[in-house]
Amino acid sequence: MAMFSLVWLVPTLPLLGVAINGVFGKWTRERAHILGVGTTGLSFLIALGIFLQAAGGATLNWDAYVWIPVGEFQATVGFLVDPLSAVMMLAVTLVGLLIHIYSIGYMHGDPGYARFFTYMNLFMTSMLVLVLANNYLLMFLGWEGVGLCSYLLIGFWYQKKSAADAGKKAFVVNRIGDAGFLLGLFLIWRTFGSLAYAEIFPHADGIREILQRDSVFGLSLVTWMTLLLFVGATGKSAQLPLYVWLPDAMEGPTPVSALIHAATMVTAGVYMVARSGALFNLAPVSMQVVATVGALTAVFAASIALVQNDIKRVVAYSTISQLGYMFLGCGVGAYASGIFHLATHAFFKALLFLGCGSVIHGLSGEQDLRKMGGLRTVMPVTAATFFLASLANAGIFPLAGFWSKDQILHAAIGSGHVGLWALGALGAFGTAFYMFRLYFQIFEGPSRVDRHLLHHAHESPRVMTVPLAILGFFTVVAGFFGYSTAHSPYYSFVEPVFHRAGEAVEHHGPSELLMAVISVAIAAAGIVLAYQMYLGRPGMADRLAQRFRGLYTLLWNKYWVDEVYDAIFVEYGKRLCNRLWGVDAKGVDGAVNGASAFTVFMSQVSAKFDFRGVDGLVNAIADLIQGGSQAFRRIQTGLLQNYLLAMAMGIFVIVSLYYFF
């Protein structure tokens, strides 16, 4: 348990880099990578030690301290180390470390160098908190942390309007998903009285009747619970319909794209669904939704990637598609296969993005496929590693992507979801095609590079190519850890987590070998077609685009989803906000201003009434009294004869009145 006691250091060490570079970045400047890479490297070493200990069968569920005590509610900072979190922790730290090293060369000379490593370390911290948390509330803290970091890093070059807009778009779209996630947490707390995994998952099956009882709109309580959680996952992991932020995330530096797409952020939703398997297994409707959305997203994103010309956008849509496969796996109950694809995808997708960054770096910022070609001789290391990553992403035996993707497709057809398998197979064909379209247009064929750029084109420095080589190595070997769902080290390691979570999904159908052959054949067909269109028969792609102009326009414009969202939500939202502003300015503020004006008027009336009425009456009485007193003062002469005369006159008046009236 020696290494387990250091688990708190795994997220804390990158946070230390955040604190020092964030506060003293003015002085660290070009040395900021020392802390950025150093703290991430130490975090990886500790994570490796913990992983090896977990591989021996040890687990840890540790509440470090009470964070928020409110009545019966207690939010704790607690860590969970089991096979699932151990795999995620190792993948995040390893891939994150390699991306940090790569960034030294890629970001060299950037004025925001220290700020970059500060944000990258914070990204790592947030993701590690998310995967190591032993309760949903702490997971949500890490969840929001990666959302914040995505905003900061996508908009890193905030001087560019497109980058600033992309950062805001990512932040807003993710808030939509996060609202669903938060509502799901409220429902979990209301049902279980806790947000701790240990108090939810083991007891879920015991209250099956309560959880599966019909609730609102005929859906069970657990269905609503899991659907709300999945809404959060669709936002964070860029699935239909909340995927639109991820392609625009390419506005950030390439290492940021690699970190978001490979190790952090987008994998969070898949991890959350897999971690919540005990709840999803009790909600067949939710499982079907997860699988269907995943399969549709895989095909949808792959179709868009077929015609894009920005190298980073092609890989971005590839990420969306591959995340769809992960959700397809989770949706058919193959959580272990979904997480396995997450892990293998982390290696080859990081390699693809860093390869794109190497090309962009070598071509002084050029990203248009139509202005590349023939770069294999100029950038041999980048080309070789990119080729390996393309094969892995296409699902070619025996590279990493083959094993994980094949097992997901086999699980889909084995569980009776033939339609979902067909969608997955179609997506696999598209993946192979667009990946080798990308490779052929960058590295093979005649050069279309601007003469000036070609003269200065070069291979990236060693600080960038060494991470490419290491990722290439894992792209080749990582799949062998999960070569079989029955006997491989990976599945033997992680399956107990999902069985404890209540996984009881049996897969039947065609043999795994047969499905593997079919998968490779589909991928090979996609590669051959890409070769014919872009190398074998030059101009074929342009002729097909002209022949199927309607379909090409649809794909080129990405189904006009962004435009529809802009028209329905953005523009309508702006108009609604303007009207609400008018209501506020003329209505609410008008009422307030009117009330104040009325108050001033009434105060003026009151003042006049006070001055002329009340004060006037008082003054009149005072004047009357004063005048009377002055009159009576004149009578008071002090002469006796005057008083006797007055008395005589008074007696005379009284007697006269008596006799005459």
Side-chain angles (χ1 to χ4, degrees), residues 271-583:
Y271 169 77
M272 185 264 287
V273 171
R275 175 61 74 187
S276 307
L279 299 176
F280 278 89
N281 287 331
L282 300 176
V285 173
S286 297
M287 294 284 283
Q288 185 66 40
V289 170
V290 172
T292 302
V293 169
L296 289 174
T297 303
V299 176
F300 179 84
S303 68
I304 297 175
L306 297 175
V307 300
Q308 299 302 306
N309 290 319
D310 184 296
I311 61 173
K312 289 176 66 177
R313 283 188 177 269
V314 174
V315 183
Y317 280 106
S318 172
T319 297
I320 299 171
S321 181
Q322 297 306 306
L323 288 166
Y325 284 103
M326 299 173 204
F327 281 111
L328 172 59
C330 292
V332 299
Y335 299 108
S337 297
I339 295 298
F340 187 41
H341 195 52
L342 184 155
T344 59
H345 174 265
F347 295 119
F348 64 75
K349 187 51 57 73
L351 181 54
L352 284 172
F353 267 111
L354 297 188
C356 288
S358 183
V359 172
I360 295 169
H361 184 269
L363 295 181
S364 303
E366 182 59 68
Q367 296 185 203
D368 194 331
L369 284 172
R370 295 165 296 186
K371 299 178 181 179
M372 299 181 185
L375 292 177
R376 179 168 54 87
T377 56
V378 180
M379 310 177 72
V381 176
T382 301
T385 54
F386 200 95
F387 180 72
L388 286 175
S390 299
L391 288 173
N393 201 19
I396 297 298
F397 175 87
L399 299 176
F402 160 77
W403 301 102
S404 53
K405 187 186 294 184
D406 177 66
Q407 286 156 11
I408 290 173
L409 293 177
H410 183 254
I413 197 168
S415 58
H417 296 85
V418 179
L420 295 180
W421 174 85
L423 288 173
L426 180 60
F429 175 81
T431 300
F433 176 84
Y434 68 66
M435 282 311 309
F436 276 85
R437 168 182 176 262
L438 185 66
Y439 174 79
F440 292 144
Q441 286 199 291
I442 297 174
F443 297 106
E444 305 294 344
S447 176
R448 300 175 301 279
V449 182
D450 178 85
R451 188 176 301 176
H452 178 73
L453 287 180
L454 185 61
H455 179 72
H456 293 90
H458 60 278
E459 182 64 274
S460 298
R462 187 167 296 180
V463 73
M464 295 172 66
T465 57
V466 169
L468 294 180
I470 296 173
L471 286 169
F473 169 77
F474 284 106
T475 296
V476 174
V477 305
F480 292 101
F481 291 97
Y483 63 88
S484 169
T485 56
H487 308 292
S488 64
Y490 166 78
Y491 282 93
S492 300
F493 179 47
V494 301
E495 279 289 359
V497 175
F498 303 113
H499 282 301
R500 287 197 297 271
E503 183 175 352
V505 181
E506 299 292 334
H507 301 293
H508 307 282
S511 69
E512 206 167 344
L513 178 60
L514 175 62
M515 298 308 301
V517 171
I518 293 173
S519 294
V520 173
I522 291 172
I527 295 173
V528 171
L529 180 61
Y531 177 84
Q532 288 295 324
M533 290 180 62
Y534 294 96
L535 291 182
R537 300 180 182 180
M540 181 179 176
D542 293 332
R543 290 193 298 271
L544 287 174
Q546 290 294 326
R547 184 175 180 180
F548 301 99
R549 177 176 292 276
L551 178 60
Y552 178 83
T553 303
L554 180 67
L555 299 179
W556 172 255
N557 289 283
K558 305 179 286 292
Y559 298 93
W560 290 285
V561 173
D562 282 290
E563 288 78 6
V564 171
Y565 283 3
D566 285 341
I568 297 176
F569 299 109
V570 178
E571 293 302 322
Y572 178 78
K574 287 180 179 178
R575 290 198 297 269
L576 179 62
C577 289
N578 288 331
R579 290 183 180 180
L580 291 175
W581 172 254
V583 171

